mmCIF file of all heavy atoms in Angstrom:
data_model
loop_
_atom_site.group_PDB
_atom_site.id
_atom_site.type_symbol
_atom_site.label_atom_id
_atom_site.label_comp_id
_atom_site.label_asym_id
_atom_site.label_seq_id
_atom_site.Cartn_x
_atom_site.Cartn_y
_atom_site.Cartn_z
ATOM 1 N N SER A 70 38.148 61.984 160.868
ATOM 2 C CA SER A 70 36.904 62.177 161.612
ATOM 3 C C SER A 70 37.116 63.305 162.617
ATOM 4 O O SER A 70 38.067 63.291 163.389
ATOM 5 C CB SER A 70 36.552 60.872 162.331
ATOM 6 O OG SER A 70 35.593 61.120 163.319
ATOM 7 N N ASP A 125 23.619 63.118 159.430
ATOM 8 C CA ASP A 125 22.773 62.382 160.349
ATOM 9 C C ASP A 125 21.322 62.554 159.905
ATOM 10 O O ASP A 125 20.712 63.567 160.190
ATOM 11 C CB ASP A 125 22.968 62.974 161.750
ATOM 12 C CG ASP A 125 22.539 61.995 162.804
ATOM 13 O OD1 ASP A 125 21.609 61.225 162.543
ATOM 14 O OD2 ASP A 125 23.142 62.010 163.887
ATOM 15 N N GLN A 170 7.599 50.730 146.647
ATOM 16 C CA GLN A 170 6.230 51.141 146.950
ATOM 17 C C GLN A 170 6.140 52.553 147.519
ATOM 18 O O GLN A 170 5.608 52.769 148.615
ATOM 19 C CB GLN A 170 5.578 50.151 147.927
ATOM 20 C CG GLN A 170 5.395 48.785 147.293
ATOM 21 C CD GLN A 170 4.491 47.901 148.116
ATOM 22 O OE1 GLN A 170 4.470 47.962 149.325
ATOM 23 N NE2 GLN A 170 3.720 47.068 147.442
ATOM 24 N N GLN A 173 2.829 53.976 149.147
ATOM 25 C CA GLN A 173 2.525 53.588 150.520
ATOM 26 C C GLN A 173 3.501 54.223 151.500
ATOM 27 O O GLN A 173 3.132 54.632 152.592
ATOM 28 C CB GLN A 173 2.605 52.071 150.658
ATOM 29 C CG GLN A 173 1.542 51.359 149.870
ATOM 30 C CD GLN A 173 1.362 49.928 150.355
ATOM 31 O OE1 GLN A 173 1.723 49.598 151.474
ATOM 32 N NE2 GLN A 173 0.804 49.099 149.497
ATOM 33 N N ARG A 189 18.159 57.887 152.077
ATOM 34 C CA ARG A 189 17.703 58.114 150.711
ATOM 35 C C ARG A 189 16.604 59.164 150.657
ATOM 36 O O ARG A 189 16.507 59.923 149.700
ATOM 37 C CB ARG A 189 17.232 56.797 150.096
ATOM 38 C CG ARG A 189 18.412 55.947 149.665
ATOM 39 C CD ARG A 189 17.974 54.641 149.097
ATOM 40 N NE ARG A 189 17.798 53.647 150.150
ATOM 41 C CZ ARG A 189 17.148 52.508 149.967
ATOM 42 N NH1 ARG A 189 16.590 52.243 148.804
ATOM 43 N NH2 ARG A 189 17.064 51.640 150.949
ATOM 44 N N THR A 210 26.825 56.468 153.419
ATOM 45 C CA THR A 210 27.450 55.597 154.428
ATOM 46 C C THR A 210 26.562 54.460 154.873
ATOM 47 O O THR A 210 27.062 53.408 155.246
ATOM 48 C CB THR A 210 27.835 56.361 155.695
ATOM 49 O OG1 THR A 210 26.855 57.346 155.920
ATOM 50 C CG2 THR A 210 29.198 56.968 155.579
ATOM 51 N N LEU A 212 24.422 52.800 153.118
ATOM 52 C CA LEU A 212 23.836 52.076 151.991
ATOM 53 C C LEU A 212 24.724 50.943 151.508
ATOM 54 O O LEU A 212 25.942 51.053 151.501
ATOM 55 C CB LEU A 212 23.593 53.049 150.843
ATOM 56 C CG LEU A 212 22.702 54.230 151.211
ATOM 57 C CD1 LEU A 212 22.637 55.226 150.086
ATOM 58 C CD2 LEU A 212 21.316 53.735 151.564
ATOM 59 N N ASP A 213 24.062 49.881 151.070
ATOM 60 C CA ASP A 213 24.831 48.795 150.480
ATOM 61 C C ASP A 213 25.376 49.243 149.127
ATOM 62 O O ASP A 213 24.899 50.206 148.545
ATOM 63 C CB ASP A 213 23.943 47.560 150.319
ATOM 64 C CG ASP A 213 22.834 47.814 149.346
ATOM 65 O OD1 ASP A 213 21.814 48.383 149.754
ATOM 66 O OD2 ASP A 213 23.005 47.483 148.172
ATOM 67 N N ARG A 225 25.382 62.259 140.002
ATOM 68 C CA ARG A 225 26.216 62.647 138.875
ATOM 69 C C ARG A 225 25.362 63.067 137.688
ATOM 70 O O ARG A 225 25.699 63.986 136.950
ATOM 71 C CB ARG A 225 27.149 61.511 138.478
ATOM 72 C CG ARG A 225 28.342 62.043 137.690
ATOM 73 C CD ARG A 225 29.323 60.983 137.366
ATOM 74 N NE ARG A 225 28.691 59.900 136.635
ATOM 75 C CZ ARG A 225 29.329 58.785 136.315
ATOM 76 N NH1 ARG A 225 30.575 58.608 136.679
ATOM 77 N NH2 ARG A 225 28.712 57.827 135.647
ATOM 78 N N HIS A 240 34.177 59.565 153.786
ATOM 79 C CA HIS A 240 35.415 58.915 154.186
ATOM 80 C C HIS A 240 35.690 57.748 153.245
ATOM 81 O O HIS A 240 36.693 57.054 153.388
ATOM 82 C CB HIS A 240 35.304 58.397 155.608
ATOM 83 C CG HIS A 240 34.394 57.231 155.668
ATOM 84 N ND1 HIS A 240 34.850 55.962 155.516
ATOM 85 C CD2 HIS A 240 33.060 57.155 155.764
ATOM 86 C CE1 HIS A 240 33.817 55.133 155.534
ATOM 87 N NE2 HIS A 240 32.720 55.839 155.673
ATOM 88 N N SER A 246 36.876 58.508 144.720
ATOM 89 C CA SER A 246 37.706 58.395 143.522
ATOM 90 C C SER A 246 36.842 58.065 142.303
ATOM 91 O O SER A 246 37.199 58.386 141.175
ATOM 92 C CB SER A 246 38.816 57.349 143.711
ATOM 93 O OG SER A 246 38.292 56.044 143.627
ATOM 94 N N ALA A 249 34.735 62.084 141.988
ATOM 95 C CA ALA A 249 35.191 63.466 142.075
ATOM 96 C C ALA A 249 36.122 63.873 140.933
ATOM 97 O O ALA A 249 36.868 63.051 140.390
ATOM 98 C CB ALA A 249 35.886 63.689 143.407
ATOM 99 N N LYS A 295 47.006 38.252 158.227
ATOM 100 C CA LYS A 295 45.730 38.961 158.343
ATOM 101 C C LYS A 295 45.591 39.750 159.640
ATOM 102 O O LYS A 295 46.512 39.881 160.418
ATOM 103 C CB LYS A 295 44.618 37.904 158.302
ATOM 104 C CG LYS A 295 43.241 38.494 158.172
ATOM 105 C CD LYS A 295 42.171 37.420 158.321
ATOM 106 C CE LYS A 295 40.819 38.133 158.335
ATOM 107 N NZ LYS A 295 39.689 37.264 158.213
ATOM 108 N N ARG A 296 44.401 40.280 159.795
ATOM 109 C CA ARG A 296 43.927 40.745 161.080
ATOM 110 C C ARG A 296 44.489 42.053 161.578
ATOM 111 O O ARG A 296 43.919 42.688 162.400
ATOM 112 C CB ARG A 296 44.151 39.688 162.181
ATOM 113 C CG ARG A 296 43.332 38.441 161.988
ATOM 114 C CD ARG A 296 41.904 38.774 161.742
ATOM 115 N NE ARG A 296 41.065 37.591 161.869
ATOM 116 C CZ ARG A 296 39.834 37.508 161.387
ATOM 117 N NH1 ARG A 296 39.302 38.523 160.730
ATOM 118 N NH2 ARG A 296 39.134 36.413 161.553
ATOM 119 N N ARG A 297 45.695 42.453 161.188
ATOM 120 C CA ARG A 297 46.105 43.783 161.640
ATOM 121 C C ARG A 297 46.151 44.704 160.449
ATOM 122 O O ARG A 297 46.856 44.481 159.490
ATOM 123 C CB ARG A 297 47.451 43.750 162.353
ATOM 124 C CG ARG A 297 47.258 43.543 163.832
ATOM 125 C CD ARG A 297 48.256 44.189 164.727
ATOM 126 N NE ARG A 297 47.845 45.473 165.262
ATOM 127 C CZ ARG A 297 46.953 45.650 166.208
ATOM 128 N NH1 ARG A 297 46.314 44.640 166.717
ATOM 129 N NH2 ARG A 297 46.684 46.847 166.656
ATOM 130 N N LEU A 298 45.367 45.767 160.563
ATOM 131 C CA LEU A 298 45.364 46.743 159.495
ATOM 132 C C LEU A 298 46.438 47.758 159.788
ATOM 133 O O LEU A 298 46.754 48.048 160.937
ATOM 134 C CB LEU A 298 44.007 47.439 159.453
ATOM 135 C CG LEU A 298 42.829 46.572 159.039
ATOM 136 C CD1 LEU A 298 41.519 47.256 159.375
ATOM 137 C CD2 LEU A 298 42.911 46.269 157.564
ATOM 138 N N GLN A 300 47.602 51.288 160.387
ATOM 139 C CA GLN A 300 46.925 52.493 160.850
ATOM 140 C C GLN A 300 47.961 53.572 161.094
ATOM 141 O O GLN A 300 49.132 53.284 161.316
ATOM 142 C CB GLN A 300 46.105 52.217 162.124
ATOM 143 C CG GLN A 300 46.951 51.880 163.346
ATOM 144 C CD GLN A 300 46.095 51.483 164.547
ATOM 145 O OE1 GLN A 300 45.346 50.513 164.505
ATOM 146 N NE2 GLN A 300 46.231 52.230 165.629
ATOM 147 N N ARG A 309 42.340 72.105 170.531
ATOM 148 C CA ARG A 309 42.406 73.360 171.278
ATOM 149 C C ARG A 309 43.853 73.707 171.594
ATOM 150 O O ARG A 309 44.193 74.825 171.951
ATOM 151 C CB ARG A 309 41.621 73.246 172.591
ATOM 152 C CG ARG A 309 40.136 73.036 172.385
ATOM 153 C CD ARG A 309 39.483 72.684 173.693
ATOM 154 N NE ARG A 309 40.283 71.670 174.388
ATOM 155 C CZ ARG A 309 39.969 71.183 175.581
ATOM 156 N NH1 ARG A 309 38.910 71.616 176.227
ATOM 157 N NH2 ARG A 309 40.723 70.273 176.137
ATOM 158 N N ARG B 52 -1.622 46.467 156.894
ATOM 159 C CA ARG B 52 -0.347 46.415 156.192
ATOM 160 C C ARG B 52 0.746 46.055 157.189
ATOM 161 O O ARG B 52 0.911 46.705 158.216
ATOM 162 C CB ARG B 52 -0.048 47.755 155.528
ATOM 163 C CG ARG B 52 -0.805 47.904 154.227
ATOM 164 C CD ARG B 52 -0.166 48.941 153.327
ATOM 165 N NE ARG B 52 -0.258 50.263 153.928
ATOM 166 C CZ ARG B 52 -1.305 51.069 153.756
ATOM 167 N NH1 ARG B 52 -2.320 50.675 153.035
ATOM 168 N NH2 ARG B 52 -1.337 52.243 154.312
ATOM 169 N N SER B 76 20.154 47.575 151.753
ATOM 170 C CA SER B 76 19.554 48.526 152.673
ATOM 171 C C SER B 76 18.068 48.233 152.836
ATOM 172 O O SER B 76 17.354 48.071 151.857
ATOM 173 C CB SER B 76 19.757 49.936 152.117
ATOM 174 O OG SER B 76 18.922 50.835 152.787
ATOM 175 N N TYR B 128 23.677 59.266 166.828
ATOM 176 C CA TYR B 128 23.126 60.430 167.506
ATOM 177 C C TYR B 128 21.841 60.083 168.232
ATOM 178 O O TYR B 128 21.649 60.424 169.392
ATOM 179 C CB TYR B 128 22.893 61.566 166.516
ATOM 180 C CG TYR B 128 22.696 62.880 167.212
ATOM 181 C CD1 TYR B 128 23.620 63.303 168.167
ATOM 182 C CD2 TYR B 128 21.603 63.681 166.943
ATOM 183 C CE1 TYR B 128 23.440 64.507 168.820
ATOM 184 C CE2 TYR B 128 21.423 64.881 167.596
ATOM 185 C CZ TYR B 128 22.346 65.293 168.536
ATOM 186 O OH TYR B 128 22.170 66.474 169.193
ATOM 187 N N GLU B 172 39.786 65.948 176.747
ATOM 188 C CA GLU B 172 39.030 67.142 176.366
ATOM 189 C C GLU B 172 37.590 66.814 175.988
ATOM 190 O O GLU B 172 36.757 67.709 175.917
ATOM 191 C CB GLU B 172 39.742 67.873 175.219
ATOM 192 C CG GLU B 172 39.670 67.201 173.855
ATOM 193 C CD GLU B 172 40.863 66.285 173.540
ATOM 194 O OE1 GLU B 172 41.463 65.754 174.492
ATOM 195 O OE2 GLU B 172 41.167 66.105 172.347
ATOM 196 N N ARG B 188 32.120 56.730 167.801
ATOM 197 C CA ARG B 188 33.111 56.142 168.703
ATOM 198 C C ARG B 188 32.664 56.178 170.159
ATOM 199 O O ARG B 188 33.061 55.337 170.963
ATOM 200 C CB ARG B 188 34.453 56.860 168.523
ATOM 201 C CG ARG B 188 35.109 56.432 167.212
ATOM 202 C CD ARG B 188 36.415 57.109 167.002
ATOM 203 N NE ARG B 188 36.258 58.418 166.387
ATOM 204 C CZ ARG B 188 37.179 59.364 166.427
ATOM 205 N NH1 ARG B 188 38.302 59.167 167.095
ATOM 206 N NH2 ARG B 188 36.972 60.515 165.825
ATOM 207 N N SER B 209 30.944 52.917 160.057
ATOM 208 C CA SER B 209 30.550 53.530 158.781
ATOM 209 C C SER B 209 30.859 55.021 158.707
ATOM 210 O O SER B 209 31.038 55.557 157.627
ATOM 211 C CB SER B 209 29.062 53.315 158.533
ATOM 212 O OG SER B 209 28.315 53.956 159.536
ATOM 213 N N LEU B 211 33.503 56.524 160.066
ATOM 214 C CA LEU B 211 34.888 56.813 160.461
ATOM 215 C C LEU B 211 35.802 56.890 159.249
ATOM 216 O O LEU B 211 35.644 56.147 158.286
ATOM 217 C CB LEU B 211 35.389 55.714 161.394
ATOM 218 C CG LEU B 211 34.544 55.497 162.649
ATOM 219 C CD1 LEU B 211 35.139 54.375 163.477
ATOM 220 C CD2 LEU B 211 34.472 56.777 163.458
ATOM 221 N N ASP B 212 36.767 57.790 159.328
ATOM 222 C CA ASP B 212 37.748 57.802 158.254
ATOM 223 C C ASP B 212 38.549 56.508 158.323
ATOM 224 O O ASP B 212 38.601 55.853 159.360
ATOM 225 C CB ASP B 212 38.657 59.035 158.363
ATOM 226 C CG ASP B 212 39.564 58.965 159.557
ATOM 227 O OD1 ASP B 212 40.534 58.189 159.527
ATOM 228 O OD2 ASP B 212 39.301 59.671 160.539
ATOM 229 N N ASN B 221 41.192 47.078 164.542
ATOM 230 C CA ASN B 221 42.300 46.427 165.249
ATOM 231 C C ASN B 221 41.960 46.236 166.727
ATOM 232 O O ASN B 221 42.234 45.189 167.313
ATOM 233 C CB ASN B 221 43.582 47.247 165.105
ATOM 234 C CG ASN B 221 44.202 47.112 163.711
ATOM 235 O OD1 ASN B 221 43.904 46.160 162.985
ATOM 236 N ND2 ASN B 221 45.043 48.058 163.335
ATOM 237 N N ASP B 225 41.738 42.772 168.729
ATOM 238 C CA ASP B 225 42.564 42.540 169.924
ATOM 239 C C ASP B 225 41.690 42.039 171.073
ATOM 240 O O ASP B 225 42.069 41.123 171.814
ATOM 241 C CB ASP B 225 43.254 43.834 170.362
ATOM 242 C CG ASP B 225 44.362 44.239 169.388
ATOM 243 O OD1 ASP B 225 44.739 43.398 168.550
ATOM 244 O OD2 ASP B 225 44.839 45.392 169.477
ATOM 245 N N HIS B 239 27.865 47.391 155.487
ATOM 246 C CA HIS B 239 27.685 47.322 154.051
ATOM 247 C C HIS B 239 29.039 47.381 153.361
ATOM 248 O O HIS B 239 29.125 47.319 152.152
ATOM 249 C CB HIS B 239 26.820 48.482 153.573
ATOM 250 C CG HIS B 239 27.561 49.763 153.637
ATOM 251 N ND1 HIS B 239 28.284 50.242 152.583
ATOM 252 C CD2 HIS B 239 27.771 50.595 154.669
ATOM 253 C CE1 HIS B 239 28.883 51.353 152.952
ATOM 254 N NE2 HIS B 239 28.597 51.583 154.215
ATOM 255 N N HIS B 246 37.487 41.524 156.042
ATOM 256 C CA HIS B 246 38.630 41.561 156.937
ATOM 257 C C HIS B 246 38.302 40.966 158.301
ATOM 258 O O HIS B 246 39.104 40.250 158.895
ATOM 259 C CB HIS B 246 39.106 43.001 157.110
ATOM 260 C CG HIS B 246 40.244 43.138 158.046
ATOM 261 N ND1 HIS B 246 41.542 42.871 157.667
ATOM 262 C CD2 HIS B 246 40.291 43.457 159.354
ATOM 263 C CE1 HIS B 246 42.334 43.033 158.703
ATOM 264 N NE2 HIS B 246 41.601 43.389 159.744
ATOM 265 N N ASP B 249 34.686 35.764 160.482
ATOM 266 C CA ASP B 249 35.024 34.363 160.266
ATOM 267 C C ASP B 249 34.006 33.744 159.319
ATOM 268 O O ASP B 249 34.335 32.990 158.432
ATOM 269 C CB ASP B 249 34.998 33.594 161.592
ATOM 270 C CG ASP B 249 36.009 34.155 162.566
ATOM 271 O OD1 ASP B 249 37.183 34.254 162.186
ATOM 272 O OD2 ASP B 249 35.616 34.529 163.684
ATOM 273 N N GLY B 288 40.157 54.110 142.671
ATOM 274 C CA GLY B 288 40.843 54.607 141.491
ATOM 275 C C GLY B 288 40.172 54.287 140.168
ATOM 276 O O GLY B 288 40.729 54.541 139.118
ATOM 277 N N LYS B 290 36.683 54.968 137.799
ATOM 278 C CA LYS B 290 35.530 55.860 137.699
ATOM 279 C C LYS B 290 34.243 55.045 137.730
ATOM 280 O O LYS B 290 34.205 53.897 137.282
ATOM 281 C CB LYS B 290 35.604 56.668 136.395
ATOM 282 C CG LYS B 290 36.615 57.796 136.456
ATOM 283 C CD LYS B 290 36.064 58.978 137.255
ATOM 284 C CE LYS B 290 37.188 59.926 137.642
ATOM 285 N NZ LYS B 290 36.826 60.839 138.722
ATOM 286 N N LEU B 291 33.208 55.670 138.266
ATOM 287 C CA LEU B 291 31.897 55.037 138.307
ATOM 288 C C LEU B 291 31.375 54.887 136.888
ATOM 289 O O LEU B 291 31.176 55.868 136.184
ATOM 290 C CB LEU B 291 30.947 55.918 139.120
ATOM 291 C CG LEU B 291 29.525 55.441 139.340
ATOM 292 C CD1 LEU B 291 29.497 54.233 140.241
ATOM 293 C CD2 LEU B 291 28.691 56.553 139.929
ATOM 294 N N GLY B 292 31.173 53.671 136.467
ATOM 295 C CA GLY B 292 30.709 53.442 135.104
ATOM 296 C C GLY B 292 29.215 53.668 134.986
ATOM 297 O O GLY B 292 28.552 53.963 135.971
ATOM 298 N N SER B 304 9.097 44.974 148.027
ATOM 299 C CA SER B 304 8.735 45.632 149.268
ATOM 300 C C SER B 304 8.538 44.611 150.373
ATOM 301 O O SER B 304 8.003 43.526 150.153
ATOM 302 C CB SER B 304 7.451 46.403 149.052
ATOM 303 O OG SER B 304 6.886 46.695 150.295
ATOM 304 N N ASP B 307 4.512 43.873 150.948
ATOM 305 C CA ASP B 307 3.870 42.772 150.227
ATOM 306 C C ASP B 307 4.944 41.811 149.779
ATOM 307 O O ASP B 307 5.512 41.971 148.705
ATOM 308 C CB ASP B 307 3.117 43.298 148.994
ATOM 309 C CG ASP B 307 1.994 44.224 149.399
ATOM 310 O OD1 ASP B 307 1.341 43.930 150.413
ATOM 311 O OD2 ASP B 307 1.782 45.239 148.712
#
Side-chain angles (χ1 to χ4, degrees):
Chain A
S70 164
D125 200 328
Q170 294 193 326
Q173 294 198 21
R189 282 178 273 165
T210 36
L212 303 173
D213 65 277
R225 201 176 57 185
H240 71 90
S246 75
K295 190 188 174 169
R296 294 310 193 198
R297 269 212 96 74
L298 293 165
Q300 67 186 61
R309 296 170 314 179
Chain B
R52 280 201 295 272
S76 165
Y128 196 51
E172 73 267 27
R188 286 180 275 161
S209 63
L211 303 179
D212 69 74
N221 285 340
D225 289 347
H239 72 91
H246 178 80
D249 299 306
K290 284 283 164 197
L291 182 68
S304 162
D307 297 321

